[in-house]
Amino acid sequence: MTDDLAVLQAETETALADAADLRALEAVRVAVLGKSGRLTALLKALGAAAPEERRARGAALNLAKDAITAAIEARRAALEAAALDARLSAERLDPSLPPAPGPAGLIHPISRTIEEMAAIFGAMGFTVGEGLDVETDWFNFSALNIPAHHPARADHDTFYLPGTRDGRPLLLRTQTSDVQIISMLNQEPPLRVIAPGRTYRADHDATHSPMFHQCEGLVIDRAITLGHLKGCLIDFLRAFFGIASLPVRFRSSYFPFTEPSMEVDIGWNRRTGELGAGGDWLEILGSGMVHPRVLANCGLDPRVWQGFAFGMGIERVTMLKHGIADLRPFFEGDLRWLRHYGSSPLAPAMLHEGV
Ligand code: DAH
């Protein structure tokens, strides 16, 4: 190898060793092998050399070019590996570290109550069903024995929507009782279903929200009696409020879709708000034996199948259970309220631990 090539190669190797990153490496490559690089210039000069010199010089130049190219690629590989190492160690995740301190998510009281209801009724063999928020007036009213012009329709302050489905007017469902119809139409009895969900009425003050939640319940079987209804609801209410001796009273009432119908009250102290004592009564849910016409509307023979149904306001029982005085903050998303009344996602509602 000629002296000038040995110098060029040595200088290039030094420059490569000094190149700290891929950009510096590229600058070295361009300075030597680029269009006006030092080695490129020597190759171009070859044409002017005397023919006898050309072969030996050409071979030496090619050797130098190969050696320099190999050195550049080796340095490139080393720099890329170092860059990857640096990235990996910067991004390294240590799964053994404890969770970073900070605000943990909490379960909203409405969701918590729904979980608790599912746990209690689940232990009694109920499944959880669902309806649609946007429903037709047939599912929300007519099939439930509330025909057009029935005064109960006016009681509900219904939000009607434009358009129809199956030729029926659309509305935001005013009650979860539509899931009774959905369940009977879609499943073969016997049935045990609860259906927690959103409901809507044009009503807004400290105790009413235009969007609120109800939980419906439906049992259909052969030879179901009022005794089953009472036993089921007494067990539920005592488990839900965690008071084994909670007084429960069934009071005759009227709903179009049940016969007989009953309102259910629990014992409390009106003055202190304490539940389970005090000799006062508080209405908490509606219930009754499913009306034969409702069974027939769903294609069930009332001489074969009977059942009971019930419906309760989820906000109402949540407020009573936790001593919450105002309905509005349930839907305002105020973090201070949520931190106070929210519950831990790591302690889900489980019956055997006491919901
Ligand atoms: N849907 C009724 C309401 O919104 C509550 C209700 C009463 C549901 C009696 C029932 C029932 O299933 O049997 O006021």
Side-chain angles (χ1 to χ4, degrees):
M1 190 185 291
T2 52
D3 285 353
D4 63 336
L5 289 184
V7 168
L8 174 58
Q9 206 170 316
E11 285 178 2
T12 304
E13 273 160 19
T14 309
L16 285 175
D18 288 347
D21 55 30
L22 290 166
R23 264 186 51 204
L25 174 84
E26 181 60 9
V28 174
R29 190 192 68 77
V30 169
V32 180
L33 298 176
K35 236 197 235 159
S36 21
R38 286 169 69 189
L39 190 74
T40 312
L42 295 176
L43 280 163
K44 278 183 190 158
L46 193 58
E52 58 278 17
E53 238 180 73
R54 209 182 285 168
R55 263 188 73 206
R57 178 71 176 166
L61 279 171
N62 276 330
L63 276 178
K65 188 180 177 187
D66 288 349
I68 287 171
T69 304
I72 290 172
E73 288 317 309
R75 184 67 182 145
R76 185 190 307 281
L79 287 174
E80 280 174 354
L84 184 63
D85 279 350
R87 233 182 71 205
L88 287 178
S89 71
E91 288 174 4
R92 211 179 72 209
L93 201 111
D94 183 349
S96 68
L97 287 174
L106 292 168
I107 304 292
H108 191 282
I110 293 289
S111 304
R112 175 72 190 188
T113 292
I114 291 173
E115 280 180 12
E116 292 176 357
M117 290 177 170
I120 298 169
F121 284 113
M124 296 190 215
F126 284 72
T127 57
V128 177
E130 266 185 72
L132 298 168
D133 290 15
V134 174
E135 194 45 278
T136 67
D137 75 339
W138 190 78
F139 281 90
N140 194 79
F141 291 128
S142 309
L144 288 160
N145 198 33
I146 315 173
H149 313 301
H150 190 288
R153 288 212 185 192
D155 290 347
H156 281 202
D157 296 316
T158 311
F159 289 109
Y160 283 92
L161 299 172
T164 57
R165 186 192 301 144
D166 303 329
R168 311 286 316 209
L170 288 172
L171 46 76
L172 290 175
R173 69 172 175 181
T174 60
Q175 50 187 355
T176 46
S177 302
D178 62 324
V179 185
Q180 292 187 35
I181 307 303
I182 293 170
S183 305
M184 284 188 269
L185 288 178
N186 292 312
Q187 293 173 51
E188 290 291 318
L191 294 177
R192 290 181 203 184
V193 186
I194 60 161
R198 277 186 291 272
T199 47
Y200 305 83
R201 292 184 199 180
D203 215 351
H204 201 190
D205 59 36
T207 54
H208 295 90
S209 152
M211 188 282 299
F212 58 106
H213 297 77
Q214 289 187 338
C215 182
E216 195 77 9
L218 176 72
V219 171
I220 301 286
D221 208 332
R222 297 168 207 268
I224 289 288
T225 70
L226 206 63
H228 295 115
L229 180 161
K230 292 176 76 173
C232 174
L233 290 178
I234 290 170
D235 278 357
F236 164 73
L237 291 168
R238 290 183 175 163
F240 179 77
F241 288 108
I243 304 172
S245 60
L246 183 71
V248 180
R249 181 174 78 170
F250 292 82
R251 189 163 37 77
S252 181
S253 182
Y254 171 75
F255 297 101
F257 35 88
T258 45
E259 181 59 37
S261 302
M262 285 172 304
E263 242 140 1
V264 186
D265 303 337
I266 58 172
W268 78 319
N269 184 326
R270 191 187 303 277
R271 207 172 34 79
T272 62
E274 191 195 344
L275 297 176
D280 299 316
W281 293 102
L282 184 66
E283 182 208 317
I284 205 133
L285 57 90
S287 68
M289 302 305 290
V290 178
H291 196 294
R293 223 174 275 152
V294 175
L295 292 167
N297 287 342
C298 299
L300 298 181
D301 182 347
R303 287 164 302 184
V304 179
W305 301 104
Q306 299 82 43
F308 64 86
F310 55 87
M312 69 189 114
I314 292 181
E315 285 80 4
R316 180 158 171 76
V317 292
T318 306
M319 288 165 79
L320 283 171
K321 180 166 176 170
H322 301 289
I324 302 172
D326 192 338
L327 176 69
R328 288 167 292 197
F330 274 91
F331 310 116
E332 282 171 354
D334 184 333
L335 278 179
R336 293 163 302 179
W337 187 88
L338 290 169
R339 278 193 200 109
H340 186 78
Y341 290 109
S343 50
S344 169
L346 300 177
M350 282 189 285
L351 195 56
H352 67 274
E353 290 181 353
V355 296

